[in-house]
Amino acid sequence: MKITKDSVVSIDYRLHLGDGEAVDESDPGEPLVYLQGHDEIVPGLEKALEGKARGDTLKVTVTPDEGYGDYDPEGIEEVPKTEFPEGLEMVAGGVLSATDPDGDEVDFIIKEVKADTVMVDFNHPLAGKTLHFEVTVRDVREATKEELEHGHAHSPHDDHEH
Ligand SMILES: [Zn+2]
């Protein structure tokens, strides 16, 4: 079957930023499984996979507007060190996560550690980047009723409760 909205798709993928050096990739034998049409992967990649079938390989270039968005300078904030848990190691380039008021986990990058404050960047690490994906479609199947209700794909080893 061809990939269309509500297909559960398994892909092997490799992501680089133009220089060929992988910044992310699926492990051999452990493809990424997602539900087409439910914002589980970046829009540009989802669009390119529409209509593809098992065994297809493709190279997809995704611009920031269809990837992780433009880089937002407003995403940088200066936070007093006292707001971080005591003893937390803070180094420039480090990635930390926090829980926002809605209870969602947000990752941020430490840009700079100053005397009393820390400059943190809430932009997605891939914001503003053009993404180069190399993808092989491993499997396409119809979603189960439960997957459609949840709005995401379930892998065979998944026993989550949400
Ligand atoms: Zn679920």
Side-chain angles (χ1 to χ4, degrees):
M1 61 182 277
K2 288 193 191 310
I3 297 171
T4 184
K5 186 172 160 51
D6 298 338
S7 299
V8 174
V9 186
S10 304
I11 55 171
D12 285 332
Y13 72 94
R14 189 171 174 278
L15 168 63
H16 70 88
L17 301 177
D19 59 3
E21 200 177 315
V23 293
D24 191 17
E25 60 191 320
S26 53
D27 292 325
E30 289 180 33
L32 171 75
V33 184
Y34 78 94
L35 183 60
Q36 177 82 356
H38 292 261
D39 299 327
E40 282 209 85
I41 60 173
V42 295
L45 182 57
E46 188 170 76
K47 214 178 276 185
L49 281 160
E50 181 83 21
K52 296 289 185 284
R54 185 204 303 233
D56 285 350
T57 62
L58 55 160
K59 286 188 179 182
V60 188
T61 302
V62 176
T63 50
D65 59 312
E66 295 206 305
Y68 290 99
D70 289 323
Y71 186 85
D72 178 11
E74 305 270 306
I76 296 182
E77 283 180 34
E78 187 163 16
V79 181
K81 275 185 177 171
T82 51
E83 291 197 14
F84 293 92
E86 220 172 304
L88 187 69
E89 195 190 350
M90 290 186 283
V91 287
V95 178
L96 297 173
S97 58
T99 308
D100 74 9
D102 296 329
D104 291 324
E105 198 156 291
V106 283
D107 289 341
F108 55 90
I109 302 166
I110 298 175
K111 297 289 278 187
E112 192 185 346
V113 180
K114 299 185 177 181
D116 299 315
T117 61
V118 180
M119 303 301 291
V120 298
D121 188 348
F122 286 94
N123 282 287
H124 189 283
L126 295 173
K129 311 269 196 220
T130 295
L131 313 171
H132 300 260
F133 289 98
E134 294 163 15
V135 180
T136 302
V137 180
R138 291 296 176 199
D139 195 28
V140 186
R141 65 169 169 85
E142 281 177 37
T144 64
K145 192 164 160 276
E146 195 185 37
E147 286 173 322
L148 289 177
E149 277 168 9
H150 290 197
H152 55 227
H154 291 165
S155 74
H157 319 291
D158 213 351
D159 54 359
H160 70 264
E161 303 272 343
H162 61 255

